[in-house]
């Protein structure tokens, strides 16, 4: 049995903690909290098995001037952050080359294709199988042009094994009568499903962890005590020092800062997204629906209807621009006519994004007892349970079912980078 400290109690950190605990380790989670209110609470709640095609798209650079001047566009870039983000953004856009997009999608598929089974195992373990609704996701398109913009991504996803059916907008309305009848096209993403409440999921993970003897400390990790290539103790805001045999860095977007303290460079930015929870929506929506030209998805959570999405390139500490959340709610009327939007709870989350859209999972050659589990971008909820399983395998020293070499933190480390790994 090892003493293991997990920095970060979001969906990824809590999933790692539970898996490590199940393997017999003595696990402590450190998170300034409130638990579950990192990126996870602003999510669309999807187990997004087919979300494997990277966000970086050909021709993206040409669109940047538009993002700078329109803060309400589905994608936007804060002018104040533009210069600082340039190196990350350049690497990000280089990954829109077709050969790289294909390689990234194939790598992500090795993880997402395992995610539903891993997630169901996790839900059984915490006694909450009802948190998963196995219903496909519907994407809606106003016209031929909007549908065509998804053509390449859908083609690649299909090639790699995702099941996507094209239907008419009327068929989508017949499937789920809450959806407006006048979309021209729709697609059904069969591999996807959604959770009824992502915050409740993380709370249940934490409750189970605590009931089984785990420890959660409401502090931030501020530093590490090292000897040679080992972390001997984790230091917290209040000066608490936690002796440890292994450390898992799962602090979402803050993992980059913790990596820097450990002298492990991570290329990661927090891509802001917004969600508005509508308490009394007057909608009977049954599926998660995505409206790509509006830049959002709508998920019927048990606690209300979540209208979530948009991507904003801004700094780690940038304040939310709530206009972006409000504009989504206005646009949601297009999808759900008669939507009542009076009761609103606004949320913001920073998706921890690497320039190659791959998460960061694995050990660093610089330190013998540190594992990174971060950088999940728009797939953290999807890949939480899978990441937990893989991290537990790494600690046990057994190979994972998947090849995880492409997710190694050393791909960002000039001193240790495998030349075969492209960013
Ligand atoms: C609008 C939106 C929609 C999304 N939709 C989906 C979706 O449908 N499906 C999906 O799979 N994903 C989705 N995502 C992405 C998903 O939410 C993230 O990938 C995921 O939440 C990342 O989880 P995490 O545990 O790595 O990070 P977080 O949830 O951000 O958790 C990190 C934790 O680390 C803690 N922390 C920070 N600093 C420290 C420190 N110094 N010491 C210790 N702890 C620290 C924080 O308090 C936080 O609790 C969406 C995100 C957004 C914003």
């Amino acid at each position: 049995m090892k003493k293991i400290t997990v920095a970060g109690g979001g969906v990824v950190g809590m999933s790692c903690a539970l898996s490590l605990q199940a393997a017999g380790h003595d696990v402590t989670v450190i998170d300034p909290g409130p638990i579950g209110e990192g990126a996870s609470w602003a999510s669309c709640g999807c187990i997004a098995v087919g979300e494997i095609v990277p966000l970086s798209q050909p021709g993206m650079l040409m669109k940047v001037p538009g993002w700078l001047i329109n803060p309400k566009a589905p994608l936007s870039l804060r002018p104040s952050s533009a210069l600082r983000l340039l190196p990350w953004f350049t690497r990000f856009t280089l990954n829109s080359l077709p050969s790289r997009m294909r390689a990234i999608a194939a790598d992500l598929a090795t993880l997402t294709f395992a995610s539903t089974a891993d997630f169901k195992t996790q839900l059984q373990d915490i006694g909450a199988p009802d948190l998963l609704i196995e219903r496909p996701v519907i994407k809606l398109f106003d016209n031929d042009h909007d549908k065509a913009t998804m053509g390449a991504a859908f083609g690649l996803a299909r090639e790699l094994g995702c099941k996507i059916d094209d239907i008419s907008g009327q068929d989508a309305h017949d499937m789920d009568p809450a959806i407006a009848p006048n979309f021209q096209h729709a697609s059904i993403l069969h591999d996807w499903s959604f959770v009824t409440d992502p915050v409740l999921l993380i709370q249940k993970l934490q409750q189970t962890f605590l009931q089984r003897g785990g420890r959660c400390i409401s502090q931030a990790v501020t530093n590490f005590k090292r000897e040679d290539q080992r972390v001997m103790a984790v230091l917290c805001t209040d000066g608490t020092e936690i002796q440890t045999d292994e450390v898992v860095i799962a602090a979402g977007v803050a993992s980059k800062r913790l990596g820097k303290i450990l002298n492990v460079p991570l290329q990661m930015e927090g891509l802001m997204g917004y969600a508005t929870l509508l308490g009394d929506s007057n909608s009977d929506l049954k599926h998660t629906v995505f409206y790509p030209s509006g830049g959002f998805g709508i998920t019927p959570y048990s606690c209300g209807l979540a209208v979530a999405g948009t991507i904003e390139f801004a700094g780690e500490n940038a304040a939310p621009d709530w206009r972006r959340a409000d504009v989504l709610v206005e646009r949601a009327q297009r999808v759900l006519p008669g939507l009542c939007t009076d009761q609103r709870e606004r949320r913001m989350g920073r998706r921890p994004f690497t320039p190659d859209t791959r998460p960061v999972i694995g050990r660093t050659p610089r330190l013998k007892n540190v594992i990174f589990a971060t950088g999940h971008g728009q797939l953290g909820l999807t890949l939480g349970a899978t990441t937990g399983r893989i991290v537990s395998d790494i600690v046990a020293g057994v190979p994972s079912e998947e090849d995880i070499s492409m997710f190694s933190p050393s791909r960002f480390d000039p001193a240790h980078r495998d030349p075969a790994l492209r960013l």
Side-chain angles (χ1 to χ4, degrees):
M1 181 179 75
K2 289 182 172 179
K3 273 173 81 85
I4 302 181
T5 309
V6 180
V11 68
V12 175
M14 284 315 307
S15 298
C16 291
L18 260 184
S19 289
L20 291 164
Q21 186 183 51
H25 301 292
D26 174 11
V27 185
T28 301
V29 175
I30 305 176
D31 190 313
I35 288 274
E37 294 198 8
S40 312
W41 82 315
S43 86
C44 289
C46 290
I47 303 304
V49 174
E51 186 79 337
I52 52 176
V53 178
L55 207 60
S56 42
Q57 300 284 325
M60 215 169 202
L61 271 180
M62 307 297 289
K63 296 182 182 159
V64 169
W67 301 347
L68 281 165
I69 54 173
N70 184 3
K72 292 186 182 174
L75 273 149
S76 84
L77 171 61
R78 292 249 181 124
S80 54
S81 305
L83 210 60
R84 198 190 60 75
L85 283 168
L86 195 64
W88 182 93
F89 198 78
T90 307
R91 291 186 193 98
F92 180 68
T93 45
L94 281 174
N95 283 309
S96 62
L97 294 172
S99 60
R100 290 201 190 180
M101 282 182 64
R102 198 175 200 297
I104 292 167
D107 290 340
L108 289 177
T110 62
L111 299 182
T112 64
F113 287 6
S115 62
T116 306
D118 285 327
F119 188 48
K120 282 185 179 175
T121 305
Q122 183 184 65
L123 290 182
Q124 284 296 340
D125 180 44
I126 63 172
D130 296 347
L131 279 179
L132 181 68
I133 306 288
E134 290 194 81
R135 223 170 268 161
V137 159
I138 303 172
K139 279 202 178 177
L140 300 166
F141 306 101
D142 282 310
N143 48 46
D144 293 343
H145 172 267
D146 287 358
K147 174 139 190 260
T149 57
M150 293 300 298
F154 278 1
L156 181 50
R158 281 186 175 116
E159 232 181 89
L160 291 167
C162 298
K163 188 164 169 5
I164 304 168
D165 281 337
D166 295 327
I167 58 171
S168 67
Q170 182 62 46
D171 289 341
H173 172 70
D174 293 343
M175 247 178 102
D176 198 328
I179 299 171
N182 53 350
F183 285 95
Q184 195 174 348
H185 301 287
S187 297
I188 309 177
L189 314 182
H190 289 278
D191 318 285
W192 296 44
S193 50
F194 65 95
V195 297
T196 60
D197 186 337
V199 177
L200 187 61
L201 166 69
I202 297 166
Q203 287 169 350
K204 294 247 181 211
L205 292 173
Q206 187 192 26
Q207 276 164 18
T208 310
F209 173 70
L210 292 172
Q211 277 159 11
R212 293 177 183 168
R215 198 158 60 121
C216 286
I217 298 179
S218 291
Q219 296 286 327
V221 173
T222 52
N223 212 332
F224 304 89
K225 208 174 224 181
R226 276 183 282 175
E227 268 178 31
D228 302 322
Q229 279 187 293
R230 296 192 77 81
V231 169
M232 308 307 289
V234 175
L235 310 181
C236 302
T237 332
D238 67 350
T240 310
E241 202 175 299
I242 294 155
Q243 306 303 312
T244 195
D245 299 320
E246 296 269 4
V247 182
V248 179
I249 305 289
V253 75
S255 306
K256 179 178 170 181
R257 203 166 2 102
L258 297 181
K260 198 170 177 191
I261 296 171
L262 290 164
N263 203 20
V264 178
L266 294 182
Q267 287 170 14
M268 208 166 74
E269 291 295 337
L271 269 51
M272 288 163 81
Y274 297 85
T276 302
L277 199 66
L278 302 174
D280 184 11
S281 64
N282 188 34
S283 168
D284 195 25
L285 184 71
K286 298 275 188 295
H287 297 78
T288 293
V289 290
F290 278 93
Y291 182 37
S293 61
F296 64 89
I298 309 177
T299 300
Y301 287 149
S302 52
C303 53
L305 201 74
V307 182
T310 85
I311 289 169
E312 186 175 20
F313 297 90
E316 190 193 332
N317 299 314
D321 178 352
W322 293 116
R323 290 174 300 173
R324 294 183 62 74
D326 294 342
V327 82
L328 296 191
V329 174
E330 285 158 31
R331 288 186 191 138
Q333 302 278 358
R334 164 72 186 101
V335 177
L336 304 175
L339 184 68
C340 176
T341 63
D342 296 342
Q343 283 181 28
R344 301 183 186 194
E345 181 194 322
R346 296 188 297 192
R347 302 170 169 186
M348 185 278 288
R350 298 173 208 272
R351 308 168 180 89
F353 245 94
T354 61
D356 63 6
T357 318
R358 296 180 180 98
V360 183
I361 308 173
R363 287 197 189 277
T364 158
R366 288 180 182 266
L367 293 156
K368 292 195 189 314
N369 63 341
V370 175
I371 297 164
F372 284 84
T374 186
H376 290 76
Q378 53 199 357
L379 284 170
L381 202 70
T382 307
L383 295 179
T386 302
T387 304
R389 168 174 60 75
I390 292 172
V391 165
S392 184
D393 286 343
I394 294 172
V395 170
V398 298
S400 301
E401 286 163 28
E402 299 84 6
D403 174 7
I404 58 162
S405 57
M406 296 305 286
F407 308 115
S408 165
S410 61
R411 69 189 194 270
F412 303 117
D413 191 339
H416 294 279
R417 187 157 52 220
D418 174 349
L421 297 186
R422 289 264 175 85
L423 290 181

